[in-house]
Amino acid sequence: MTTTKRIEVILSPVETHWVGDGFKVHNFIPAAPGLDMQHMDPFILLDYNAPMRVPALRIPAGVGVHPHRGFETVTLAYQGKVQHHDSAGGGGIIETGDVQWMTAARGVLHKEYYETEWSKRGGIFHMVQLWVNLPAKDKMSEPRYQAIRNADMGRRLLADGKSFVEVIAGEYDGVKGPADTHSPVMLMNARLQEGAKADFSFPSNYNTGLLVVQGSALVNGQKAPTDHFVKFANEGETFTIEAVTDDTVVLVMSGEPLREPIVSYGPFVMNTRAQIQEAFDDFNQGKFGYLED
């Protein structure tokens, strides 16, 4: 017998800050109350760039060369285009609707900017970046890059014949997503027209949250406005999202917690302070490779 998940809190967006000169983000994880790394494990960061108008730029804005170790970055482009390069040879353009899943693991240098031609025109930019923690056994594995095109995502059409759930990772109603993950992670977009409902069920011990990226929704009957985050308690399995407006988009995330020590410093997330120091030493010694800025 399944029971309904209890909503622990519905959070409004915290104040924005700039990441580089291109991304103006609300940080929900780990900055918002109750959304620290342990409470949302394996999701250890969520930066949300709400829709903003970018003027035409001759030189694309973004984030210059920086290192990562110990986790994965997942970038979801809702509007606009992002260009990515890393020292492991990964790279490409994240088109509107696409997802980039980069496994930094033992270490990469990385940079990301507005895509060159899109930057020249400007437009509305709207994105999410998640950091997904890696199990201790995988933190020093080889880096990897998964470019997930929107057309390759799983889709489950809903009862109204227009709304659907777009599956990036995990499974929804028998439809699987293309992302290959190191631990059980569910990541999907509910794209709903007004009045449409999508039912979800995840294990009670999974850490589960929703981000309303467009429109407005009722979650188990409670109002969740645009740009708000819904965190569920670890009680019950099922919940329902109902669109209040047309073209409502809700990012759904749920993952089995790793329950391992988390020690983070800047771009490194490991299990011990000694491993953090080793990451700095390796970076300073050039062991993350080379990438031109």
Side-chain angles (χ1 to χ4, degrees):
M1 179 180 175
T2 59
T3 56
T4 302
K5 276 191 178 296
R6 179 173 68 83
I7 294 175
E8 187 172 298
V9 65
I10 298 177
L11 294 162
S12 57
V14 297
E15 191 172 338
T16 57
H17 69 275
W18 284 94
V19 177
D21 62 0
F23 310 122
K24 186 180 181 182
V25 303
H26 304 279
N27 178 258
F28 280 99
I29 305 172
L35 295 186
D36 59 73
M37 291 182 177
Q38 291 288 359
H39 277 90
M40 287 305 297
D41 173 31
F43 307 108
I44 53 175
L45 179 140
L46 191 161
D47 274 344
Y48 174 52
N49 195 132
M52 69 177 190
R53 179 163 293 281
V54 176
L57 299 170
R58 184 175 58 85
I59 300 175
V63 184
V65 176
H66 57 284
H68 290 306
R69 174 179 280 184
F71 59 94
E72 303 179 292
T73 66
V74 182
T75 304
L76 302 94
Y78 289 97
Q79 292 184 80
K81 299 182 182 182
V82 180
Q83 201 153 356
H84 159 89
H85 298 282
D86 67 53
S87 58
I93 296 170
I94 313 169
E95 303 274 352
T96 295
D98 292 351
V99 172
Q100 172 220 77
W101 200 298
M102 184 188 78
T103 306
R106 63 177 173 80
V108 294
L109 302 178
H110 164 68
K111 62 181 180 179
E112 51 198 339
Y113 294 91
Y114 302 148
E115 188 271 330
T116 303
E117 294 305 314
W118 184 88
S119 184
K120 290 177 182 177
R121 297 189 304 272
I124 301 298
F125 189 76
H126 186 193
M127 65 161 281
V128 168
Q129 186 168 93
L130 278 171
W131 290 6
V132 179
N133 204 8
L134 285 171
K137 65 181 180 60
D138 296 326
K139 283 186 177 291
M140 295 299 286
S141 60
E142 289 295 314
R144 184 176 59 165
Y145 181 86
Q146 299 177 74
I148 301 171
R149 297 185 310 152
N150 187 266
D152 295 331
M153 295 175 189
R155 281 175 176 75
R156 170 58 71 198
L157 194 64
L158 300 177
D160 67 349
K162 298 179 291 183
S163 305
F164 58 95
V165 174
E166 189 175 73
V167 188
I168 301 160
E171 183 175 340
Y172 179 81
D173 194 23
V175 175
K176 294 182 178 180
D180 183 18
T181 65
H182 287 256
S183 65
V185 170
M186 312 291 177
L187 190 66
M188 50 200 74
N189 288 306
R191 297 185 178 270
L192 309 175
Q193 299 305 306
E194 182 180 357
K197 295 181 180 180
D199 298 318
F200 294 84
S201 181
F202 301 122
S204 60
N205 68 305
Y206 279 30
N207 289 324
T208 302
L210 314 174
L211 177 65
V212 183
V213 298
Q214 185 172 300
S216 184
L218 297 174
V219 181
N220 287 348
Q222 294 190 45
K223 182 73 173 293
T226 309
D227 301 343
H228 283 56
F229 189 92
V230 180
K231 182 184 184 299
F232 291 97
N234 295 110
E235 302 170 14
E237 297 85 25
T238 65
F239 61 91
T240 298
I241 302 172
E242 179 181 353
V244 175
T245 59
D246 275 343
D247 301 319
T248 291
V249 181
V250 180
L251 175 62
V252 179
M253 63 192 76
S254 185
E256 182 176 22
L258 300 178
R259 303 193 189 284
E260 296 175 345
I262 298 174
V263 180
S264 67
Y265 195 98
F268 306 133
V269 182
M270 302 300 289
N271 301 112
T272 68
R273 290 188 179 277
Q275 290 171 339
I276 294 291
Q277 184 59 57
E278 181 183 28
F280 275 102
D281 292 343
D282 288 350
F283 169 64
N284 290 330
Q285 293 168 24
K287 294 183 180 179
F288 283 50
Y290 174 77
L291 186 64
E292 185 177 352
D293 206 343

